[in-house]
Amino acid sequence: DAGVIQSPRHEVTEMGQEVTLRCKPISGHNSLFWYRQTMMRGLELLIYFNNNVPIDDSGMPEDRFSAKMPNASFSTLKIQPSEPRDSAVYFCASSFGGAGDTQYFGPGTRLTVL
Amino acid sequence: AQSVTQPDIHITVSEGASLELRCNYSYGATPYLFWYVQSPGQGLQLLLKYFSGDTLVQGIKGFEAEFKRSQSSFNLRKPSVHWSDAAEYFCAVSRGAGNMLTFGGGTRLMVKP
């Protein structure tokens, strides 16, 4: 399997622009997670999907952030409008969804908002 | 609320020396505990995990970790460090039926030749 695939790997945009990050989970995995990594706050869970349904979005910072999972093989994380403080590495991870199942992480998208 | 603390932000060891990275957790129930490693510019890779049973867990790359409930700790160890082990290490606890992870702040390991 190719593992979790994220695109783009790097994104540089200007403040106020819309940004869309993409994730393809490992085939057969039922759960998908979006994390954000910054120097100040470390690794934070943003949102968790199970069977394509958002289950916990308590980590989403504010209404500028939204995430969708239209099918089992694709998810997006959108920031609109983007701000410089959104600059971070965004990771997508997937798992089979059982308690304690291993989460497999993608390589991440490094977002820079100027 | 669940929390994970990694007291050491940076650790430097000589190649061939032993290593112990500390992790303390706070969790109301029996925890699921994980250690992940992140190489520069890469995603996270699972080293090992603990659910129940034997408190000494073996992982990949020669790493092991010991769960101590009385100390709320899950320290990662390796008897002899290799230069390729230089990376950042994250301890995490799983919360909820959905297996959502709460991560510690990470420990950056540097290896001296």
Side-chain angles (χ1 to χ4, degrees), chain B residues 67-106:
Chain B
F67 171 64
K68 293 185 177 180
R69 184 186 300 277
S70 61
Q71 299 177 19
S72 296
S73 69
F74 188 56
N75 294 349
L76 182 71
R77 301 194 295 247
K78 186 170 185 178
S80 177
V81 170
H82 187 262
W83 64 267
S84 61
D85 293 323
E88 188 150 19
Y89 292 79
F90 292 93
C91 182
V93 63
S94 171
R95 56 187 173 94
N99 196 33
M100 295 172 284
L101 294 176
T102 298
F103 284 91

Side-chain angles (χ1 to χ4, degrees), chain A residues 37 48 91 99-103, chain B residues 32 36 38 46 49 51 98-99:
Chain A
Q37 185 178 34
Y48 150 58
F91 289 102
D101 278 347
T102 298
Q103 290 186 27
Chain B
Y32 295 151
Y36 280 86
Q38 184 180 27
L46 181 72
K49 58 184 178 181
F51 294 165
N99 196 33

